[in-house]
Amino acid sequence: NSHNSSGGSTLLGYIGIDTIIEQMRKKTMKTGFDFNIMVVGHSGLGKSTLVNTLFKSHVSRKSAGWARDEKIPKTVEIKAVSHVIEEGGVKMKLTVVDTPGFGDQINNDNCWEPISKYINEQYEKFLKEEVNITRKKRIPDTRVHCCIYFISPTGHFLRQLDTEFMKRLSHSVNIIPVIAKADTMTLEERQEFKQRVRKELEVSGIEFYPQKEFDEDMEDKSDNDKIREAMPFAVVGSDKEYQVNGKRVLGRKTAWGIVEVENPNHCEFAQLRDFLIRSHLQDLKEVTHNIHYETYRAKRLNENGGLRDEPALPLTLYRLLF
């Protein structure tokens, strides 16, 4: 009997299929990989600090040459800064896309437009490279893999701008809502506010990442359900270290004591980092490529039977290409 009970085959010798993962790992290690993260929310919510805390280094605004006290821009600007982070021999090119000026104006109508435009421009860039007859073996990826949206810790309701932004952009980018500066609320207030925000998102029909419809199987679904029930994560970022019980911890000093950023009893920063980097980073990239980019691509290729500014390719050639 050449079959074992689990339905797989028992073979006489060793083939080495188990080395496939190692081969993939080596290949990825050689090329390294890209991760592009966008932060959106009005000024003073600790966006830079949070990104620095996530990646344990000063990645957010470094090398962009902006002063901290720079005046609020009159319109939303988009500033992308890239850094190479290396850990345990793995190289990651991290790009942080900041959106100064968002939500800071007296009139914030349409302030999501430049952000939407930027996200689509990156898809367009990728598409142009892809449809080139002599295309690069590895297309540089500048597409936004995830957008962390910072909600003000008001304890009341979402602002209209919050719902408007998430509603408009949830179909073109993975949105991860977080409640910023959570140490300004008591634990009870925080819990109530989180539930209220979740309810509001549901009523408004806003799909945030991880989206229910993209769960691949039951295991995925139950893992992601747990995450969805915990979102939006109430976070505190800090790049300052303090001594607590003889250990050095990242924290924020308040009148009541030290809020330890990585202590799950104090805030949900650790959960956010595990989710974003340790468990879902690859999935964020896949959903971006297979869902958001695919939707954009289909729309563009349908517009005029092809890309508008190039002469339309004959259909037979299109089928060969795609």
Side-chain angles (χ1 to χ4, degrees), residues 16 51 70 75 98 114 118 179 196 206 213 220 237 243 248 262 266 273 282 290:
V51 175
E70 208 177 286
T75 54
D98 200 355
Y118 178 85
I179 293 168
R196 198 172 295 151
I206 292 165
E213 71 237 59
D220 243 21
Q243 284 278 356
R248 294 189 77 71
E262 297 180 83
H266 290 204
R273 184 168 58 209
Q282 196 49 41
N290 299 331

Side-chain angles (χ1 to χ4, degrees), residues 3-5 15 44 49 107 113 135 147 182 209 213 236 245 253 272 289 294 307 316:
H3 286 279
N4 61 22
S5 56
I15 312 179
T49 310
N107 177 357
E113 268 176 1
R135 54 180 171 181
C147 166
Y209 179 85
E213 71 237 59
V236 179
N245 305 329
K253 208 180 176 92
L272 171 69
H289 183 71
E294 207 45 49
L307 292 174
T316 43

